[in-house]
């Protein structure tokens, strides 16, 4: 049973931490009835017992109105007054003393901005605080401490707040409209600028094409009719199929040339001899 109870308490603390921003060390606001219950049932030390119940380090608080109420109850609550006077004092700003129920409800306010856990044995105060979102409650039963589950009203508040977060508010909708109008105006201006640039580029292209046509008509490039002979390699002579016959032909041609030359030289030599031999 103790393990299941701790599991339930951890689930409750996670709910308030995730939905309302409770953080360690947790602050516990105690009234006189809760302090008296702790002492009468010997639940000491109280800070360790509450830390086990909540599942984290804690700080215990009370108010001046609670202390003055315990003091006014007389000798039967003197031990509770001494124990409560050692706790931290939460600011209540009451010039005149109020009842503990009214003082704690004023400190909690409408939204429990200080993130207090309220520890009390007063059933009327607990019912009143269950109608305020974000107020976890702790109470004692004999020698054990319990945490109340979140009320239906608190769960509905969390659900509605989550739905509101998903939807846009009027301020966000107005800001979105303004931003959309600015973007549209910027896009139209950019389109106009791009249109002017496109017209200029088209005119430039037309001018460039006309100039190119004129240049092509006026200046005709000479085309090469054939390959450059200096850059060409010489043709290789094909070897003949009958090398012996060609060699024989070359020898005959050279012998014929030598004969003709010799004959010419002999004629020139004989001509002066005949002339000189005549009377």
């Amino acid at each position: 049973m103790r393990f299941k109870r701790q599991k339930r308490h951890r689930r409750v603390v996670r709910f308030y931490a995730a939905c309302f921003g409770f953080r360690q060390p947790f602050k516990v606001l105690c009234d006189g009835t809760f302090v008296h219950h702790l002492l009468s049932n010997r639940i000491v030390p109280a800070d360790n017992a509450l830390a086990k119940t909540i599942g984290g380090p804690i700080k215990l608080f009370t108010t001046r109105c609670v202390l003055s109420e315990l003091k006014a109850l007389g000798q039967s609550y003197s031990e509770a007054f001494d124990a409560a006077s050692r706790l931290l004092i939460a600011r209540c700003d009451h010039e005149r003393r109020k009842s503990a129920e009214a003082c704690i409800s004023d400190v909690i306010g409408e939204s429990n901005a200080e993130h207090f856990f309220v520890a009390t044995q007063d059933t009327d105060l607990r019912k009143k605080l269950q109608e305020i979102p974000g107020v976890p409650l702790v109470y004692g039963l004999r020698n054990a401490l319990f945490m109340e589950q979140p009320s239906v009203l608190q769960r509905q508040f969390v659900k509605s707040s989550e739905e509101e977060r998903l939807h846009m508010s009027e301020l966000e909708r107005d800001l979105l409209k303004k931003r959309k109008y600015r973007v549209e105006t910027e896009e139209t201006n950019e389109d106009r600028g791009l249109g002017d640039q496109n017209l200029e580029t088209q005119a430039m292209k037309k001018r460039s094409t006309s100039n190119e046509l004129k240049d092509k008509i006026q200046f005709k490039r000479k085309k090469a009719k054939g390959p450059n002979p200096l850059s060409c390699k010489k043709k290789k002579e094909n070897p003949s199929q009958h090398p012996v016959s060609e060699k024989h032909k070359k020898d005959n041609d050279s012998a014929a040339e030598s004969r003709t030359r010799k004959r010419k030289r002999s004629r020139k030599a004989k001509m002066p001899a005949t002339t000189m031999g005549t009377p």
Side-chain angles (χ1 to χ4, degrees), residues 11-22:
R11 194 181 295 119
V12 172
V13 173
R14 281 199 301 268
F15 172 79
Y16 286 104
C19 299
F20 298 99
F22 281 73

Side-chain angles (χ1 to χ4, degrees), residues 64-66 68 92-100 102-103 106:
R64 292 178 181 176
C65 296
V66 172
S68 59
C92 62
D93 295 333
H94 293 146
E95 295 179 358
R96 294 182 179 180
R97 180 175 69 85
K98 285 188 175 183
S99 63
C103 180
D106 290 341

Side-chain angles (χ1 to χ4, degrees), residues 17-200:
C19 299
F20 298 99
F22 281 73
R23 296 291 180 268
Q24 295 181 2
F26 300 112
K27 295 187 288 186
V28 182
L29 184 60
C30 305
D31 69 345
T33 59
F34 185 77
V35 175
H36 181 69
H37 178 81
L38 293 175
L39 293 173
S40 60
N41 289 279
R42 301 301 174 186
I43 304 174
V44 290
D47 52 356
N48 290 339
L50 283 167
K52 289 179 181 179
T53 303
I54 296 173
I58 62 166
K59 290 182 179 180
L60 297 177
F61 289 83
T62 190
T63 62
R64 292 178 181 176
C65 296
V66 172
L67 291 175
S68 59
E69 187 180 47
L70 286 171
K71 189 175 181 180
L73 289 173
Q75 191 66 27
S76 59
Y77 284 86
S78 61
E79 189 178 359
F81 173 76
D82 294 336
S85 61
R86 291 194 291 271
L87 304 180
L88 298 173
I89 304 299
R91 187 175 178 180
C92 62
D93 295 333
H94 293 146
E95 295 179 358
R96 294 182 179 180
R97 180 175 69 85
K98 285 188 175 183
S99 63
E101 180 181 351
C103 180
I104 289 173
S105 61
D106 290 341
V107 171
I108 296 300
E110 295 180 356
S111 59
N112 191 13
E114 296 293 328
H115 297 118
F116 278 115
F117 284 75
V118 178
T120 180
Q121 296 296 113
D122 191 350
T123 55
D124 295 334
L125 180 60
R126 280 188 290 176
K127 287 179 181 179
K128 186 177 180 180
L129 293 177
Q130 281 179 352
E131 297 177 357
I132 300 172
V135 184
L137 299 172
V138 181
Y139 64 96
L141 187 62
R142 295 190 182 90
N143 60 351
L145 299 177
F146 295 89
M147 287 185 67
E148 286 196 1
Q149 296 294 320
S151 62
V152 177
L153 189 143
Q154 291 177 346
R155 293 184 184 277
Q156 288 178 353
F157 176 81
V158 170
K159 189 176 180 180
S160 62
S161 63
E162 287 179 355
E163 289 178 355
E164 288 177 359
R165 288 173 192 170
L166 294 173
H167 299 289
M168 287 190 297
S169 62
E170 293 182 358
L171 179 62
E172 290 175 347
R173 194 177 287 107
D174 294 336
L175 291 173
L176 184 63
K177 287 180 180 179
K178 290 179 181 179
R179 186 173 180 82
K180 187 177 180 181
Y181 177 74
R182 288 177 185 174
V183 171
E184 287 177 354
T185 52
E186 289 176 358
E187 287 179 354
T188 52
N189 293 328
E190 288 179 357
D191 292 337
R192 289 176 183 174
L194 290 171
D196 296 337
Q197 290 179 358
N198 290 329
L199 291 173
E200 290 178 358

Side-chain angles (χ1 to χ4, degrees), residues 188-224:
T188 52
N189 293 328
E190 288 179 357
D191 292 337
R192 289 176 183 174
L194 290 171
D196 296 337
Q197 290 179 358
N198 290 329
L199 291 173
E200 290 178 358
T201 51
Q202 287 176 3
M204 291 292 290
K205 284 180 180 179
K206 287 180 180 178
R207 290 175 187 174
S208 62
T209 51
S210 62
N211 292 328
E212 287 177 358
L213 289 170
K214 289 179 182 179
D215 293 339
K216 285 180 181 179
I217 293 166
Q218 290 176 359
F219 304 101
K220 292 183 179 180
R221 293 181 180 179
K222 294 180 180 180
K223 294 182 180 179

